[in-house]
Each structure stands twice: as C-alpha cells, then as structure tokens.
C-alpha cells in the first residue's frame, strides 16, 4: 500500500518529525524538533510511568534432565493488554539517548515513509537495514538495565520503531503478548537474549573467528567469565555422573525386587499330608531358582562396582561445582559489561537474522503492516513457539534428546526469536563446546514467517543433523543417521548440500508421512523410521494405513527380538 499512497496519520507524524519548525506547540507529541537524542534522562523524552516488574525475564536456569515434556500452554495471550504501544511519546522515548545512530535512523525512516518515487524508496529501504543495526549497537548494551524504558525493549524485541505502522488489530495482538517468560523454557526474545548475555547466564554464541586470549588482568568481569567457563565444563560431568548414578540405582532397585520375589518363592513349602508338621522339599521349579538367584547376585555385584565409580565421579564433580559457586559468590554483584563482547554477539545475531531470511528474502528490519501477514497464532511469539515445539516432540520423541553412554537425555535447546520476515529456522550450534554432554544447543527462529510450523521444523531438522553428525565424528558419511542418508544421496547422484536435502525430507517426514501420506523415497523412509522413529501411538496408527508402514513396524519387532533393538 505504501508504494502509491501513504497513510495520512504516518505522513502527518513524519512530516512533523522532519520539520525544524521553531513555532511548534510544546504540547504536540508528534514534534521532534525538541527531541533530546543525547540525554536519555531528559524530561521531555519520558512522558509515562513504566510498570516493568523487577523480576522480569527470569532465566530458566540449568538443564533439568528429569523433565520429560513441555508444560501445556493454557494461555497464549494476556487478557490485560500492555499500554506501551498507546503511548504518544513511544517514538521519542525509544530513540532517546542513542546519539548519532538514532538521528540517522530517524532521518532514513522519515525519507522512506514519505518518499513517493519507487526507485528512491528502494534506496532508502536498503539504507534502513544499516541504520537499524547501527542503532541496535547503541541499544543492546543497555538491555541489562532493569530500568530501561519498555518501548526500547519492545523496539528490540519486535522491531516496532513506530506504533503507527500497526493496524488496529495488529496493535491489539502485540499488546496482548506476555512480556515475561513464565513458561520456564529457554525461549528468548532478542532483548531477553542480550540481558542473559550481559548477566553472564548465557555465554556468547560460537563464531568461526577465534577470540584472542585475554591475560588475567584481575578484572572481576574477566575472572567471572573464566569461572563461568569452568562451571560450564564441570556441569556436563556433574549432570552426566548424576544421570548415570540414577540409572544404576534404578537398575539395582529393579534387580533387588526380582531377587526378593524369587527368594520368597524359594521359601514357600507345601505341608506334607499325614506327616505332621513336616514340609515338602524344593520342587523342580524352585531348584531352577538357585541359578537365577545366583545370576542376579552376580549382576548386583557388577552394578555395585559401577555405581561406586559413578558415585565417586559425582562426588568429585559436586565438590568442584560447590567450590566454583563459592568463588562466584564472592565476585561483585554488578560487573562492568565488556561492550566488545556485546558487539560481537550483536554481529552474530545479525548473521542469524540474515540466515532466517536468505539472500533473496526481505531484510527490512522494522515492523510494518506492509510486510506482516501472519495470524496471531502463526506469529513467532514465545507461547506459540513452545506449543509448536511440544507438537514436534509428540510426533518425534527424540527431537531434543542426546544419547550419552546409552542414556537418552532430553535437552531443549536455547531458542532465540528474531523479528525478521524470514521463513527458515536453523541451528547455530548443537551444544556448547565446553560441555558436549548436557549443554543446550542454540536455534534461531524468525518471528514473522509464512508458516511458523515449517520454520520450527527446519530448525529442529538442522539440530538433529548436526547432533548426529557430531556423534558420528569422522565417520559421519558412513555411520548412523547421517551416514545412511549420505549414502542414499550418493546413490541417487544428487548435487547440492546434503543437509539441505535432509531438512526438506524431515519436513515431509513430520508433516506428511506422520499422517500416512507417502512422500519420501522408500530407502529414506526406512532410515528415518529407524533413526528418528515416530511416537508409538503414531506407529500403531500408521501400520493400519498401508503395507509400507506395516512392514517397517514388523522390522521393529524383529529387531527387538533379535538384538534388543
């Protein structure tokens, strides 16, 4: 709609912003001639009270391996809308205190929205990308401040620079989104992501460039970062040892219960009729219990040795963890943020944003009704994303699982929600380089895609591929999921990125094959059924749909009988 005609409200707002009229009324909220870009505490920049709770954006904390599923989302939108987008000084407050970057963003946005020539508009559209990300370089380091105005957070979270670019319905939708993370899941909006980075609860995202090693200068922030790194390394050992310890204890309890049951059977003797109080000797079935009891005693002895080793590992890791916690408790509560690290993370996030959009996609960074075509439930709000991830896990139970020493650990990745018009989610890193056992991976999701479910599926597919590839290591082209799929690609003589083919097939696997609609090659279907099996209830349903699925189901039974699957 903007190519040929401009919304009168926006035109009036921007023309006032672009004019240096000295005789403008002091009470006119749309006049930016007196806008103080340099002093964030200037009275005219803040015209309404912020009601942000002190404990907003709480971190979900460490990985809890005992959690087996997502909590159901009961409310997707709040019944008490936030009034931040109704504030007449939203634009002023959002851009205040950001120096030249805010002035440039304001100037380019004014030209873009008031321009009538399509060619010039395209030029200003490109300039908006650079101006916006430069503005975020000034804004990102302030996300750790609890007192930061809500409109600055909303700008970074949703890309909403000017609320006038909403339609009435869109404004109502965004105003009803829950501000805080009450789900306990590691799903973050962009402003929350930087707050976690600044607080030290999240490490910087991995990059190809090696960061220069810093000498120990006695800086508390650097010492704290080093302690966090050590804690991350030890966390994997601690959680792995505890997981193995729990598994062995459960195994011991089960064997002991079997042992007690057999001993009770062994101690039951029938009364001999006509021989007074004398009881019958062991029966043949009871005599067979001797060897079974002996076998279980040997098993218990073996379990005890393994349990003792895991217990020692757990004690050692727990001792190290307590020591590190003690040292971190003695560091200053308010550490000076290293801005170079924040800028590095922002550059990484910008790369993520580009990847969600793709080369030929719409890289415009600011929210506008011109490009937003999602439904409220189809937008990448936190609750919608968690609900979709729960659906993915219900179909593919192993989607967020990582196997270590034959124990499957459910580890939900960190999810960063990016306010982009992209359609593709992806995995930035499958796990932390210092803790490959129990650390969370990182996936990025565009908030304004054509299909949110597909955006999540592409990210989960990428995560699955990278985890399987890391597990197979040097043999990823020969073994496991990646090896078998790669061999099929070679046999078909297909050209292109193997992972891209895998992601496309995974989307079909989850959306079509799970419903009994056959879209994959027979060999690919067999590989996926073996390495990424559907939930049991879906398997039961599919085996009645077609002989193809019935044959795959029968193979599962045969494997279970032959080698324990």
């Amino acid at each position: 709609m903007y190519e040929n005609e401009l919304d009168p409200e926006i035109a009036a707002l921007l023309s006032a912003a672009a004019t240096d009229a000295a005789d403008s009324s002091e009470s006119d909220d749309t006049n930016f001639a007196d806008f103080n870009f340099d002093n964030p505490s200037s009275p005219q920049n803040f015209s309404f009270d912020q009601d942000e709770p002190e404990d907003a954006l709480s971190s979900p904390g460490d990985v809890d391996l005992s959690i087996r599923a997502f909590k159901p989302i009961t409310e997707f939108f709040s019944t008490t809308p936030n009034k931040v987008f109704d504030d007449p000084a939203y634009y002023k407050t959002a851009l205040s205190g950001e120096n030249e970057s805010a002035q440039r963003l304001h100037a380019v946005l004014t030209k873009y929205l008031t321009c009538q020539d399509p060619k010039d508009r395209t030029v200003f559209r490109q300039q908006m990308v650079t101006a916006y990300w430069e503005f975020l370089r000034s804004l990102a380091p302030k996300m750790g401040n609890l007192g930061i105005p809500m409109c600055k957070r909303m700008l970074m979270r949703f890309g909403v620079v000017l609320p006038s670019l909403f339609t009435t319905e869109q404004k109502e939708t965004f105003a009803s989104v829950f501000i805080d993370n009450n789900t306990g899941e590691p799903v973050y909006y962009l402003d929350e992501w930087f707050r976690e980075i600044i607080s030290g609860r999240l490490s910087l995202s991995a990059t190809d460039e090696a960061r220069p090693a810093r000498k120990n200068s006695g800086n508390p922030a650097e010492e704290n970062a080093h302690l966090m790194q050590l804690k991350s390394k030890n966390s994997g050992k601690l959680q792995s040892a505890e997981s193995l310890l729990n598994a062995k204890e459960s195994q011991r309890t089960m064997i002991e219960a079997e042992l007690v049951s057999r001993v009770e059977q062994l101690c039951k003797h029938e009364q001999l009729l006509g021989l007074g109080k004398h009881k019958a000797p062991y029966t043949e079935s009871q005599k067979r219990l001797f060897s079974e009891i002996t076998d279980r005693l040997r098993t218990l002895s073996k379990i005890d040795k393994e349990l003792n080793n895991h217990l020692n590992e757990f004690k050692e890791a727990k001792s190290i963890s307590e020591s590190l916690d003690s040292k971190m408790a003695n560091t200053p509560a308010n550490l000076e943020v290293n801005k170079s690290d924040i800028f590095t993370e922002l550059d990484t996030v910008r790369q993520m944003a580009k990847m969600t959009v793709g080369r030929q996609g719409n890289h415009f960074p600011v929210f506008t009704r011109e490009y937003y075509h999602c439904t409220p439930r189809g937008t990448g709000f936190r609750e919608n994303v968690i609900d979709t991830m729960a659906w993915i896990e219900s179909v593919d139970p192993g989607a967020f699982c990582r196997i270590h020493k034959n124990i499957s650990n459910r580890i939900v990745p960190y999810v960063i929600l990016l306010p982009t018009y992209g359609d593709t989610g992806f995995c930035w890193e499958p796990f932390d380089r210092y803790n490959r056992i129990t650390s969370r991976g990182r996936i990025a999701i565009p908030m304004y895609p054509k299909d949110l479910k597909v955006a999540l599926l592409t990210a989960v597919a990428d995560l699955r591929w990278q985890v399987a590839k890391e597990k197979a290591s040097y043999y990823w082209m020969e073994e496991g999921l990646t090896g078998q799929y790669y061999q099929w690609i070679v046999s078909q003589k297909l050209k292109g990125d193997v992972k891209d083919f895998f992601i496309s097939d995974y989307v079909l696997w989850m959306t079509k094959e799970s419903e009994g609609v056959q879209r994959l090659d027979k060999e690919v279907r067999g590989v996926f059924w073996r390495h990424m099996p559907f939930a049991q209830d879906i398997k039961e349903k599919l085996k009645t749909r077609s002989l193809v699925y019935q044959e795959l189901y029968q193979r599962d039974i045969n494997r279970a009988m032959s080698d324990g699957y």
Side-chain angles (χ1 to χ4, degrees):
M1 65 174 281
Y2 289 168
E3 295 296 339
N4 298 317
E5 97 181 24
L6 192 65
D7 188 295
E9 180 186 357
I10 300 172
L13 177 66
L14 270 299
S15 62
T19 304
D20 294 324
D23 58 344
S24 297
S25 171
E26 292 182 1
S27 61
D28 182 6
D29 290 322
T30 61
N31 176 32
F32 297 95
D34 59 347
F35 184 25
N36 190 340
F37 286 92
D38 299 316
N39 184 8
S41 60
S42 181
Q44 70 265 30
N45 292 342
F46 299 90
S47 63
F48 77 114
D49 296 330
Q50 301 295 332
D51 54 356
E52 180 183 1
E54 287 296 319
D55 58 346
L57 306 173
S58 58
S59 171
D62 295 332
V63 176
D64 187 349
L65 298 178
S66 64
I67 299 176
R68 305 309 303 170
F70 292 101
K71 293 179 181 178
I73 302 296
T74 56
E75 290 183 290
F76 290 91
F77 296 96
S78 173
T79 54
T80 55
N82 194 302
K83 301 297 183 181
V84 63
F85 299 119
D86 293 325
D87 174 44
Y90 179 99
Y91 186 73
K92 284 184 180 181
T93 312
L95 268 62
S96 66
E98 310 304 334
N99 302 323
E100 294 84 1
S101 62
Q103 296 180 27
R104 185 184 177 202
L105 178 63
H106 168 65
V108 177
L109 181 62
T110 301
K111 293 175 182 177
Y112 172 76
L113 291 177
T114 56
C115 179
Q116 299 297 324
D117 188 340
K119 293 183 179 179
D120 290 341
R121 189 174 173 79
T122 301
V123 173
F124 295 139
R125 185 170 176 270
Q126 294 297 324
Q127 292 177 355
M128 272 295 299
V129 178
T130 304
Y132 181 81
W133 285 101
E134 280 299 317
F135 174 75
L136 290 193
R137 287 180 73 84
S138 174
L139 191 59
K142 300 175 183 178
M143 288 299 115
N145 181 6
L146 286 173
I148 189 172
M150 181 70 75
C151 55
K152 287 182 180 285
R153 281 179 53 191
M154 294 302 100
L155 187 154
M156 194 162 195
R157 177 175 296 196
F158 299 129
V160 177
V161 176
L162 199 61
S164 300
L165 298 179
F166 278 129
T167 63
T168 303
E169 294 77 13
Q170 290 167 0
K171 182 187 287 188
E172 291 175 354
T173 298
F174 278 72
S176 300
V177 175
F178 289 104
I179 297 296
D180 303 326
N181 185 0
N182 300 316
T183 65
E185 299 295 344
V187 180
Y188 298 104
Y189 292 112
L190 191 55
D191 62 303
E192 297 173 332
W193 185 266
F194 279 95
R195 177 169 176 176
E196 295 296 298
I197 292 287
I198 292 168
S199 69
R201 290 187 290 266
L202 261 178
S203 60
L204 298 181
S205 301
T207 57
D208 292 335
E209 297 81 13
R211 298 190 186 96
R214 295 172 181 163
K215 296 181 180 179
N216 188 1
S217 60
N219 186 340
E222 294 183 9
E223 291 180 5
N224 188 64
H226 179 63
L227 290 174
M228 287 291 294
Q229 189 180 102
L230 293 176
K231 185 173 176 62
S232 178
K233 290 180 180 180
N234 186 67
S235 176
K237 296 178 182 178
L238 178 64
Q239 291 179 319
S240 176
E242 186 172 18
S243 179
L244 293 169
L245 189 60
N246 291 336
K248 287 301 172 185
E249 287 177 345
S250 299
Q251 191 178 358
R252 180 180 65 179
T253 300
M254 183 180 65
I255 299 296
E256 286 175 343
E258 292 177 358
L259 184 61
V260 169
S261 173
R262 280 157 177 74
V263 170
E264 287 177 349
Q265 294 178 40
L266 188 69
C267 295
K268 290 179 180 178
H269 301 285
E270 297 293 333
Q271 193 81 26
L272 292 174
L273 297 176
L275 296 178
K277 296 181 179 180
H278 300 290
K279 295 183 178 181
Y282 293 118
T283 63
E284 289 300 318
S285 61
Q286 285 179 315
K287 290 177 181 179
R288 285 196 291 271
L289 291 175
F290 292 153
S291 60
E292 291 185 23
I293 290 172
T294 303
D295 289 341
R296 275 157 180 76
L297 287 171
R298 288 199 190 98
T299 303
L300 283 175
S301 177
K302 181 180 178 182
I303 290 174
D304 186 65
K305 290 180 181 177
E306 294 174 347
L307 191 148
N308 194 49
N309 290 335
H310 296 320
L311 185 60
N312 290 334
E313 291 174 3
F314 178 71
K315 287 179 179 178
E316 182 182 357
K318 189 172 180 61
S319 175
I320 294 173
S321 180
E322 290 173 350
S323 175
L324 290 171
D325 286 340
S326 176
K327 290 180 180 179
M328 292 177 66
N330 295 326
T331 57
N334 297 317
L335 297 175
E336 184 181 349
V337 179
N338 190 321
K339 285 195 175 182
S340 65
D341 287 344
I342 303 301
F343 294 155
T344 299
E345 184 66 19
L346 185 65
D347 291 340
T348 303
V349 167
R350 185 174 181 180
Q351 285 299 117
M352 293 180 183
K354 289 180 180 179
M355 291 174 66
T356 63
V357 176
R359 288 185 179 180
Q360 304 301 320
N362 179 9
H363 291 268
F364 194 72
V366 172
F367 180 92
T368 168
R369 56 175 171 252
E370 182 181 6
Y371 301 127
Y372 176 80
H373 305 294
C374 304
T375 62
R377 290 283 282 112
T379 307
F381 301 132
R382 184 184 355 250
E383 289 71 25
N384 293 337
V385 168
I386 293 174
D387 187 61
T388 305
M389 292 174 73
W391 168 79
I392 292 174
E393 193 172 45
S394 70
V395 178
D396 179 8
F400 306 117
C401 291
R402 203 179 306 156
I403 297 175
H404 177 67
K405 294 187 177 179
N406 294 324
I407 294 179
S408 179
N409 296 322
R410 178 181 178 272
I411 306 170
V412 178
Y414 289 117
V415 181
I416 177 171
L417 305 177
L418 300 170
T420 65
Y421 301 102
D423 297 316
T424 306
F426 62 92
C427 172
W428 185 261
E429 51 187 292
F431 39 68
D432 191 280
R433 57 178 177 171
Y434 296 116
N435 177 8
R436 300 164 66 94
I437 303 171
T438 60
S439 62
R440 300 187 192 275
R442 303 187 182 202
I443 62 176
I445 304 297
M447 290 185 64
Y448 312 132
K450 293 177 183 176
D451 190 325
L452 182 61
K453 181 181 288 187
V454 172
L456 261 298
L457 285 173
T458 54
V460 173
D462 195 359
L463 175 68
R464 261 195 166 283
W465 177 266
Q466 293 196 47
V467 169
K469 187 175 180 180
E470 290 291 338
K471 180 182 177 183
S473 189
Y474 298 108
Y475 305 100
W476 74 269
M477 292 185 288
E478 304 168 17
E479 298 179 356
L481 171 65
T482 56
Q484 292 186 27
Y485 189 81
Y486 177 80
Q487 294 300 325
W488 178 80
I489 290 291
V490 172
S491 68
Q492 299 298 307
K493 299 181 180 179
L494 298 176
K495 302 296 182 183
D497 191 335
V498 179
K499 187 173 73 172
D500 290 343
F501 286 115
F502 174 84
I503 291 172
S504 297
D505 285 344
Y506 183 81
V507 173
L508 292 175
W509 176 247
M510 295 291 289
T511 57
K512 299 297 183 183
E513 296 278 345
S514 65
E515 297 295 330
V517 181
Q518 298 173 32
R519 288 289 184 270
L520 296 177
D521 181 90
K522 180 180 179 181
E523 283 190 44
V524 173
R525 184 181 300 110
V527 172
F528 283 14
W529 185 282
R530 176 74 176 91
H531 294 281
M532 298 187 300
F534 291 130
Q536 189 61 33
D537 61 330
I538 296 179
K539 285 184 175 183
E540 297 285 349
K541 178 186 70 175
L542 289 177
K543 76 173 183 178
T544 63
R545 294 281 185 91
S546 168
L547 290 174
V548 172
Y549 299 112
Q550 187 177 348
E551 180 184 347
L552 291 169
Y553 189 87
Q554 187 60 43
R555 286 184 191 175
D556 285 349
I557 298 174
N558 296 342
R559 276 194 293 265
M561 294 175 62
S562 63
D563 60 3
Y565 199 21

